[in-house]
Amino acid sequence: METLNKATMEEMLSTPNRLLVGAGPGNLDPRVARALTLPLLSHLDPSFWEIMDSTADLLRQVFRTENDATLLLPATGMAGMETMFANLIEPGDKALIGHSGHFGSLMVEVASRQGAEVTEIQGPEDGAIDEEEFIEKLDSDDFAVAATVHAETATGTFQSVQKVAAACQERDTLFLMDAVTSLGGMDVRVDDWGVDACYSGTQKCLSIPSGGSPITFGERAMRKVRNRKQKPCTYYFDIQELMRYWSGGMEKSYHHTAAIPLVYATHEALRVLLEEGLENAFERHIRCSKLLLEEIEPLGFKPFAQPEYRLPMITAVTMPEGLNAKDVRTRLREEWNIETDLGLGEIAEKILRIGLKGYSAQPRNAAYVTLALSTMVGAA
Amino acid sequence: METLNKATMEEMLSTPNRLLVGAGPGNLDPRVARALTLPLLSHLDPSFWEIMDSTADLLRQVFRTENDATLLLPATGMAGMETMFANLIEPGDKALIGHSGHFGSLMVEVASRQGAEVTEIQGPEDGAIDEEEFIEKLDSDDFAVAATVHAETATGTFQSVQKVAAACQERDTLFLMDAVTSLGGMDVRVDDWGVDACYSGTQKCLSIPSGGSPITFGERAMRKVRNRKQKPCTYYFDIQELMRYWSGGMEKSYHHTAAIPLVYATHEALRVLLEEGLENAFERHIRCSKLLLEEIEPLGFKPFAQPEYRLPMITAVTMPEGLNAKDVRTRLREEWNIETDLGLGEIAEKILRIGLKGYSAQPRNAAYVTLALSTMVGAA
């Protein structure tokens, strides 16, 4: 076999080294890339279990929670959404879902498939739902859960949630939150705010490769899970089954085979983040997005979101006259090796999303994107 | 940030370099390990889409199918099982499930959660279900699906399926198969046999890190999917939604963020396997398991499975007098850095499972395990 390896090594897959500043995966810190290649362990090896426990502890620090049920789901951020609703909705439950973009709308789809009777409250695409209105709606029916997206990836808009979460805590309503794009890039306080269940994705501000979804369920949520009349239709995402494997210490039992290299990478990336300090990381995101906008707004790239709703980690901009977003995205990739994203849904081709997030949130990246965009405006 | 990296590099996670010959993940071919660290691409980058399409083609070669709906699920092998039943069971459907071990039993659980009325047919733990009996049972009711596990990981036993699959093709019954442990290590012929849906796991004989599940749905299965009265309760594992992203060519649209490094590793591992040739790989597995048994049976380690049902990639053995499996597993790990597994379920502590599979199926590994075990027998 060694001969075969040697003979074919040169034909191996190779991929261009792009600057990843879109809405999806970002570049990796070299420490995280290195962690991916640590020697594999078995998912049932006590040495690996120690890494799992340590990873769960690090996740608790980033979520700012003491929730026991905190783990890395063996599937992507969309699976976090599904896990939350599959466990916390029973057929016929009433769910209030606030949305202002693509991922909020997906919550309606995912919750409905679990048998929820969904009431929607919709915010503007370039803004968010007024919290007072959200709370008013909360009182219009007997909702088992209320859910929304903290940072809408599709449009780069921010939804404040603290008042809604507090209102849910005063009622018999669980508050569920998508923190796919916010976690690690802006303040997320699961315990202080009273978020009953929250999930994220590995590949946004945490700068871990895609494939995992950090998730946490609080005690109110777990009580609902334990009191379910019927099991969730999913076995793979059943939080009680998952916790048989992710429970602390040496009492773990098999539920699935953990994605080993991804757990290594998660452990290392969370350490990188916590060594920098969450507050420092949040500031770095703000600094980079400000820098970027200050440079590209004069070129005619206008921020899509209203000022008070702009996310620091995803900057969505409309195009100067004479340019269209689709062409700009293609040219950024092909001429500059810069990966950005269009919008999602109806506004797809109107906006370009630039994500200086996680490890990619560095001033030099803002400068490089600016340079690339400036040449296109000059040429238009 | 560079200073921080330098200062903390020495404290980085490190993991012991174990020989992984249990039932779970195996060691990686160096080419596959290298693929994990290729520069990341966005999940929406056409350059990545080419790799996806090529990966799907390689998967078709390994599954021996021309099924269009062939892809890498962004979740582990257990998710393959769930995807199969979630899409192909509608509430009230009758399902015949044949099982002889832990993973077969899990099929009952997973199918039931999807609303199936399950009829079980059980084989002996050290053997398999007689195909004629399976077919007789098939005629006892109006089954929408029949399902079984081709290679039972929990006990190292083989279930022949060709007659049952053919019988299903003659009836209005879909035949669904778990090939988690068999794919890449023994003959699996999706099209020739008439398997309507089949899934595997990345970390067994394919020698890809855990985290993915190759899956394929044939035309009969897709017809059932298209004719469903209601959507599956899962959005994440909805095969039609998955195919929006995995469909060939440049018409892909977002459904989830692919686990990029895992797709790279899958692409490379499948090439390694196909360059060796499937038949050669199958023979290598047989050679290694024979070698192992020839050496350790005289030491008192008796094969658990009856001869005609033994898998080549997982050898389950009972202990010689004076040894117990739990201690042997611990000593193998702690004294020899060899990772093996106990059984699963009721027989857990009676058997040791040694998995010379995928890249780990090499004669030198059989020799090393033999050496380690021989010292324990000598000392007993």
Side-chain angles (χ1 to χ4, degrees):
Chain A
M1 291 214 297
E2 278 74 7
T3 319
L4 184 67
N5 284 345
K6 205 169 168 187
T8 53
M9 189 68 106
E10 58 204 324
E11 301 161 28
M12 201 189 135
L13 200 63
S14 74
T15 58
N17 194 0
R18 301 215 204 280
L19 176 65
L20 299 178
V21 290
N27 298 105
L28 300 182
D29 186 298
R31 284 171 61 183
V32 178
R34 199 179 113 179
L36 274 178
T37 59
L38 285 170
L40 288 188
L41 290 172
S42 160
H43 59 303
L44 299 177
D45 186 328
S47 298
F48 180 66
W49 291 355
E50 285 175 25
I51 297 171
M52 289 172 68
D53 287 352
S54 174
T55 302
D57 280 341
L58 294 166
L59 284 176
R60 285 184 195 101
Q61 291 178 56
V62 174
F63 273 125
R64 289 176 156 160
T65 185
E66 293 185 0
N67 287 342
D68 183 45
T70 303
L71 54 86
L72 183 72
L73 277 181
T76 73
M78 274 306 301
M81 188 190 290
E82 184 143 318
T83 300
M84 204 172 66
F85 287 115
N87 285 279
L88 297 175
I89 292 286
E90 288 198 274
D93 274 356
K94 289 174 180 168
L96 176 61
I97 295 178
H99 57 91
S100 313
H102 182 73
F103 288 93
S105 306
L106 274 177
M107 279 188 162
V108 177
E109 170 78 17
V110 171
S112 300
R113 288 191 186 214
Q114 298 300 332
E117 281 181 31
V118 176
T119 299
E120 301 178 49
I121 174 166
Q122 196 168 353
E125 274 194 316
D126 59 353
I129 301 158
D130 179 85
E131 284 203 86
E132 302 302 337
E133 283 177 36
F134 206 133
I135 293 168
E136 248 173 60
K137 200 82 173 182
L138 205 55
D139 284 326
S140 72
D141 208 336
D142 194 20
F143 293 108
V145 308
T148 198
V149 175
H150 190 215
E152 177 52 74
T153 322
T155 48
T157 56
F158 163 69
Q159 171 70 54
S160 62
V161 298
Q162 293 182 55
K163 288 179 194 164
V164 176
C168 288
Q169 287 298 313
E170 286 164 12
R171 291 160 179 78
D172 204 19
T173 307
L174 295 175
F175 181 66
L176 319 183
M177 190 171 90
D178 174 313
V180 167
T181 292
S182 55
L183 194 72
M186 61 194 296
D187 211 14
V188 172
R189 295 176 179 271
V190 166
D191 286 1
D192 288 355
W193 296 353
V195 179
D196 292 297
C198 186
Y199 63 93
S200 188
T202 43
Q203 78 278 10
K204 309 282 184 184
C205 296
L206 303 177
S207 291
I208 307 158
S210 45
S213 172
I215 192 163
T216 185
F217 275 49
E219 183 44 35
R220 289 212 313 169
M222 289 307 290
R223 204 177 312 138
K224 163 123 193 184
V225 166
R226 286 190 298 266
N227 291 333
R228 286 181 67 98
K229 283 176 214 81
Q230 62 183 68
K231 292 179 184 176
C233 70
T234 175
Y235 173 82
Y236 191 69
F237 294 133
D238 182 325
I239 190 75
Q240 289 184 296
E241 298 289 342
L242 285 158
M243 280 303 291
R244 284 199 296 120
Y245 181 48
W246 272 90
S247 64
M250 293 296 130
E251 297 308 309
K252 301 185 203 308
S253 69
Y254 172 76
H255 167 260
H256 65 274
T257 304
I260 315 287
L262 191 71
V263 175
Y264 294 165
T266 300
H267 189 275
E268 191 62 12
L270 297 178
R271 284 189 50 210
V272 169
L273 175 60
L274 291 165
E275 282 166 17
E276 180 186 13
L278 290 173
E279 305 298 340
N280 293 336
F282 302 161
E283 265 177 49
R284 180 166 48 79
H285 281 83
I286 292 170
R287 203 163 66 243
C288 287
S289 62
K290 272 195 178 160
L291 188 59
L292 178 73
L293 262 188
E294 277 167 17
E295 297 290 325
I296 68 172
E297 212 174 335
L299 299 174
F301 298 91
K302 299 293 175 201
F304 174 76
Q306 299 168 50
E308 63 272 38
Y309 301 110
R310 281 177 208 157
L311 289 178
M313 66 285 288
I314 296 210
T315 300
V317 291
T318 56
M319 298 299 101
E321 262 195 55
L323 289 180
N324 80 65
K326 203 171 173 180
D327 291 346
V328 170
R329 179 177 178 239
T330 303
R331 289 183 58 190
L332 283 172
R333 183 194 299 121
E334 294 181 357
E335 296 170 19
W336 298 85
N337 235 348
I338 296 174
E339 184 71 15
T340 56
D341 275 295
L342 299 175
L344 270 176
E346 286 172 26
I347 50 159
E349 303 204 355
K350 287 186 199 153
I351 60 173
L352 187 75
R353 291 181 293 162
I354 304 166
L356 299 173
K357 56 183 160 38
Y359 182 70
S360 297
Q362 300 188 26
R364 73 181 102 156
N365 295 340
Y368 184 55
V369 172
T370 300
L371 172 66
L373 289 176
S374 70
T375 64
M376 298 183 198
V377 175
Chain B
M1 289 212 300
E2 278 74 8
T3 320
L4 185 70
N5 284 346
K6 204 169 170 189
T8 53
M9 190 66 106
E10 57 205 324
E11 300 160 28
M12 203 189 134
L13 201 64
S14 75
T15 58
N17 194 359
R18 301 213 204 283
L19 177 66
L20 298 178
V21 290
N27 298 105
L28 300 183
D29 187 296
R31 283 171 61 183
V32 178
R34 198 179 113 180
L36 273 179
T37 59
L38 285 170
L40 288 187
L41 291 172
S42 160
H43 59 304
L44 299 177
D45 186 328
S47 298
F48 180 66
W49 291 355
E50 285 175 23
I51 297 171
M52 288 172 68
D53 287 351
S54 175
T55 301
D57 280 342
L58 294 167
L59 283 175
R60 286 185 194 99
Q61 292 179 56
V62 174
F63 272 124
R64 290 176 156 159
T65 184
E66 294 184 1
N67 288 341
D68 184 44
T70 303
L71 55 87
L72 183 70
L73 276 182
T76 73
M78 274 304 303
M81 188 189 290
E82 184 143 318
T83 300
M84 205 172 66
F85 288 114
N87 285 280
L88 297 175
I89 292 285
E90 287 199 274
D93 273 357
K94 289 175 181 170
L96 175 62
I97 295 179
H99 58 92
S100 313
H102 182 73
F103 288 93
S105 306
L106 274 177
M107 280 187 162
V108 178
E109 170 78 17
V110 171
S112 300
R113 288 191 186 213
Q114 298 299 332
E117 281 181 32
V118 176
T119 300
E120 300 178 50
I121 174 166
Q122 195 167 352
E125 274 194 315
D126 60 352
I129 301 158
D130 180 86
E131 284 202 86
E132 302 301 338
E133 283 177 35
F134 207 133
I135 294 168
E136 249 174 59
K137 200 82 175 182
L138 205 54
D139 284 325
S140 71
D141 208 337
D142 193 20
F143 293 108
V145 307
T148 198
V149 175
H150 190 216
E152 177 53 73
T153 323
T155 49
T157 55
F158 163 70
Q159 171 70 55
S160 62
V161 297
Q162 293 181 57
K163 289 180 193 163
V164 176
C168 287
Q169 287 299 314
E170 288 165 9
R171 291 158 179 80
D172 203 19
T173 307
L174 295 175
F175 181 66
L176 319 184
M177 189 172 90
D178 174 313
V180 167
T181 292
S182 54
L183 193 72
M186 61 193 295
D187 211 14
V188 172
R189 294 177 179 271
V190 166
D191 285 2
D192 288 355
W193 296 352
V195 179
D196 292 297
C198 186
Y199 64 93
S200 187
T202 44
Q203 78 277 10
K204 309 282 185 186
C205 296
L206 302 177
S207 290
I208 307 159
S210 45
S213 172
I215 192 163
T216 186
F217 276 47
E219 184 44 36
R220 287 213 315 169
M222 289 308 289
R223 205 177 311 136
K224 162 123 193 184
V225 166
R226 286 190 297 267
N227 291 334
R228 285 182 68 101
K229 283 178 216 82
Q230 62 183 69
K231 291 179 185 177
C233 70
T234 176
Y235 173 83
Y236 191 69
F237 294 132
D238 182 324
I239 190 75
Q240 289 184 296
E241 298 289 341
L242 285 158
M243 281 303 291
R244 284 199 295 119
Y245 182 47
W246 273 90
S247 63
M250 293 296 130
E251 296 307 309
K252 301 185 204 309
S253 70
Y254 172 76
H255 166 261
H256 66 275
T257 304
I260 315 287
L262 191 71
V263 175
Y264 294 165
T266 300
H267 188 275
E268 191 60 15
L270 296 178
R271 285 189 48 210
V272 169
L273 175 59
L274 292 165
E275 281 166 18
E276 180 184 11
L278 289 173
E279 305 298 341
N280 293 336
F282 303 161
E283 265 177 49
R284 179 166 50 78
H285 281 84
I286 292 169
R287 201 163 68 242
C288 288
S289 62
K290 272 195 180 160
L291 188 59
L292 178 74
L293 262 188
E294 276 167 17
E295 295 291 325
I296 68 173
E297 210 173 338
L299 298 174
F301 297 91
K302 299 292 174 203
F304 174 76
Q306 299 169 49
E308 63 272 40
Y309 301 110
R310 280 178 208 157
L311 289 177
M313 66 287 286
I314 295 208
T315 300
V317 291
T318 57
M319 297 300 101
E321 261 194 55
L323 289 181
N324 79 67
K326 202 170 174 181
D327 292 345
V328 169
R329 179 177 178 240
T330 304
R331 289 182 59 189
L332 283 172
R333 182 193 300 122
E334 294 181 358
E335 297 170 18
W336 298 85
N337 235 347
I338 296 174
E339 185 71 16
T340 55
D341 275 294
L342 299 175
L344 269 176
E346 285 171 27
I347 50 158
E349 303 204 354
K350 287 186 201 157
I351 61 173
L352 187 74
R353 289 180 295 162
I354 304 166
L356 298 174
K357 56 185 162 34
Y359 182 70
S360 297
Q362 300 187 25
R364 72 180 102 154
N365 295 340
Y368 184 54
V369 172
T370 301
L371 172 65
L373 289 176
S374 70
T375 64
M376 296 183 200
V377 174

